């Protein structure tokens, strides 16, 4: 059976977003909100407008200015930046180490994963970490696997805010670890990578990354499993 998207009058939208009506009107005048559907003299807003309002609020709380938010949204909607760039994926690379698959979601789809924890504050944190980007009315997550795993952790009873905080901490710790492996590859496997890139021949680089990827992942996964075993034994002793 077909479902109908919820619609709001301006005062209802403002109440749902937790902002004054004058703020909605101001954002609309600044073109931070897309035009509503009009029915005679009545303007109807929908859940996409609500999600946009919450995103603006979250970005403001993170210290962004309205002018900067307007520029970002204009760039996203006009296609001056593709989703990969927004998520930090460099399109100039011949191949990426990560095989993660970005996933496009509606605000409703994101809420399906996290329920009532899909809040503006958590969205702002995910934006700040780089897990998600806003592309028009949609949200794009950098990794389907990360999305599904984090949603599963939330279902286990761990608050999404804590999952995100842990993710931020892990990302900070992973950068030095990644540098260790990149340095090994640079020294022993890819000494001619710069010359290859300058010449436009990336065959050796692409093949080397394909060979190294599963080896490095196996080492990291094994070391992490051993580290968790050690910590669990320590915890059980207590």
């Amino acid at each position: 059976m077909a479902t109908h998207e919820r619609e709001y009058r301006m005062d209802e939208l403002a109440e749902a977003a937790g902002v004054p009506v004058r703020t909605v009107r101001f954002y609309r005048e600044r073109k931070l909100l897309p035009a509503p559907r009009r029915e005679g003299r009545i303007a109807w807003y929908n859940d996409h407008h609500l999600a946009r309002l919450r995103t603006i609020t979250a970005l403001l709380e993170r210290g962004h200015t309205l002018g900067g938010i307007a520029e970002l949204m204009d760039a996203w909607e006009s296609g001056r930046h593709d989703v990969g760039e927004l998520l930090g994926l460099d399109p100039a690379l011949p191949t990426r180490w990560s095989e993660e698959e970005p996933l496009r979601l509606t605000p409703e789809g994101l809420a399906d994963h996290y329920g009532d924890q899909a809040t503006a504050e958590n969205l702002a944190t995910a934006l700040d970490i780089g897990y998600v980007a806003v592309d028009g009315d949609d949200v794009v997550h950098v990794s389907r696997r990360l999305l599904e795993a984090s949603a599963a952790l939330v279902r286990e009873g761990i608050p999404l805010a804590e999952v995100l905080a842990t993710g931020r901490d892990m990302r900070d710790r992973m950068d030095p670890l990644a540098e260790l492996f990149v340095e090994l590859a640079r020294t022993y496997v890819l000494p001619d990578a710069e010359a290859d890139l300058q010449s436009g021949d990336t065959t050796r680089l692409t093949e080397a990354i394909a060979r190294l990827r599963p080896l490095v992942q196996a080492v990291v996964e094994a070391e992490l499993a051993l580290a968790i075993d050690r910590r669990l034994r320590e915890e059980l002793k207590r």
Side-chain angles (χ1 to χ4, degrees), residues 58 116-127 132 159-162 164:
D116 59 3
Q117 296 195 48
T119 63
E121 181 178 1
N122 284 333
L123 176 60
T125 301
L127 284 164
V132 300
L160 179 56
E162 295 299 324
L164 292 171

Side-chain angles (χ1 to χ4, degrees), residues 10-82:
M10 183 180 286
D11 58 334
E12 295 171 335
L13 178 70
E15 181 179 1
V19 299
V21 171
R22 65 178 180 275
T23 298
V24 178
R25 188 175 293 111
F26 176 68
Y27 289 167
R28 179 71 193 94
E29 291 170 354
R30 291 286 299 270
K31 301 189 184 303
L32 288 168
L33 287 178
R37 182 182 72 83
R38 293 203 170 270
E39 190 175 278
R41 300 182 63 181
I42 302 176
W44 291 102
Y45 298 84
N46 57 36
D47 285 329
H48 294 296
H49 293 95
L50 179 58
R52 177 67 65 87
L53 273 176
R54 288 173 173 167
T55 300
I56 294 170
T57 299
L59 290 172
L60 287 172
E61 290 173 351
R62 288 285 170 179
H64 294 271
T65 64
L66 281 177
I69 293 171
E71 290 178 4
L72 282 172
M73 291 184 172
D74 179 62
W76 293 335
E77 292 175 354
S78 65
R80 294 203 300 270
H81 299 272
D82 68 13

Side-chain angles (χ1 to χ4, degrees), residues 5 34 46-53 55 59 72-73 76-77 83 86-87 102-111 123 127 131-142:
E5 186 175 53
N46 57 36
D47 285 329
H48 294 296
H49 293 95
L50 179 58
R52 177 67 65 87
L53 273 176
T55 300
L59 290 172
L72 282 172
M73 291 184 172
W76 293 335
E77 292 175 354
V83 170
L86 294 176
L87 297 173
L103 181 65
R104 180 180 293 271
L105 297 162
T106 63
E108 298 83 359
L110 189 65
L123 176 60
L127 284 164
Y131 282 167
V132 300
V134 179
D135 188 33
D137 290 325
D138 293 339
V139 176
V140 182
H141 199 289
V142 68

